[in-house]
Amino acid sequence: MNINKRNLYTTASALVLSGPLVAQQPNIILFLVDDMGWQDTSVPFGAEPTKLNEIYHTPNMERLAQKGVKFTHAYANSISSPSRVSLFTGANAARHRVTNWTLKKNVSTDRKNDLLEFGDWNYNGLCPEEGVPYTFYAKCLPELLRENGYTTMMVGKAHFGSLDTPAADPLTIGFDYNIAGHAAGAMGSYLGEEGYGATGNPEWAKIWAVPNLEKYHGTDTFLTEALTLEAKGLMDKALLKQKPFFLYMSHYAVHAPFATDKRFYDKYIAKGLSHKEAQYAGLVEGMDKSLGDLMDYLERNHLTENTVILFMSDNGGLAAHTRAGELHTQNYPLNSGKGSAYEGGVREPMIVSWPGVVTPDTKCGDYLMIEDFYPTILEIAGVQKYTTVQKRDGISFMPLLTGKGKVKDRDIYWHYPHSWGPSGPGIGATCSIRSGNWKLVYYFADGKRELFNIPEDISEKNDVAIKNPRIVKKLAQKLSNYLRSVDAQRPTLRATGKLAPWPDEIKD
């Protein structure tokens, strides 16, 4: 039977919906990339194009930016799971306490540290059920969207609930469909020839193999392509339901371990990149092709005008290991990368397209945080009144999309009281605050406080804490008061057996 998707969708979107719903609710695609740095694109997010912008080829990000608005100060956490939990709960990491990456039930992923001892945190991730130990109980974003008329679909990486806990299965948090999402934060393999990790050691594969993609096993279909094909298939199903859809397109790319995407690898070798960097650039371009394929799908099915696309990364680009060349420079002009409190670890490439609402080819310099997506997406969907079991920190950035009204001035916070493993600039047990132009970074191990003026020193090379004691004191108090207010956890000093001081407890 042939179905005219254009007529089908027009009929559905013209329905006047009752209750909390609105007429012509837009489709929403949240396109999240894993470990993508601010500069891993041919779209310049800084004041001027950089050498990195010349290396990478992302024509579809360029295309999306021409249709929408670039956010140049969009922030997430420095590690995957905290960002994803904030995204789906609207809570800051300090509040939800899923402050490090998650994997196994009741097992902390903290690395041993000579100076600090780490206590319990919510290492089982978020949870839609009350009473599960070491979880953050929450009413999640897809559940609210589903209750308000949306078909909710997830394709790709989940990594917000540990193995053998409810949220290891994304269907439990409100998704109607889940393909390839489970507890693991990385793929066993990008290669269909290797079953995306299923052909390895059975115990290893049980954790890392990407699920639900068996039909591509043994083929040369790269993981990014397989996920894109599945996303288009789910959108086909969603159109038959005559309801708007929410698609969470959550790529495993560009997470390590890298692999060779034969479609793009040779062009980067020809550019003079090393093997590892050519693999990485190929992962970036494969991700970009996926974005373009989804945009093409919308155009073919006459959905573009009523679909919002939000593009974001979950944390900064990898720079502490695996990459070729001098480490910690892969996100220049930002300092450091994934796992770091510095800009290279937390500043993300972000674009939003919404035809008829967002002014095309524009740029926004207001800063925002990953938990802000929660209230914003609900507002985009026309969901005005809702209650949640969790307290939320996110603030809707809808005024930045519409140009109507303002987002109130506020500070944003990061909290990573853990030992990630690798060392490098800004990497360690830290908490931070961005307040206007100023950013304060505090290290739990030694009580060091660093102060940077971000617009003047985007690379965070010039610590001006000594020159500005009043600003340090003010920001340290703001940061400490917020962390106390949400009952944030902190590590213990091995030398004394006492809890590490809060930032405002350090004497000058």
Side-chain angles (χ1 to χ4, degrees), residues 90 368-369 371-376 379 392-399 406-412:
L368 54 87
M369 191 62 173
E371 54 261 27
D372 297 338
F373 278 70
Y374 186 100
T376 306
E379 190 170 353
R392 307 181 304 271
D393 298 276
I395 296 175
S396 173
F397 53 82
M398 180 71 88
K406 293 184 178 180
V407 174
K408 69 177 183 179
D409 292 337
R410 51 80 182 257
D411 303 324
I412 57 176

Side-chain angles (χ1 to χ4, degrees), residues 149 156 280 313 366 417:
Y280 186 80
S313 176
D366 292 58

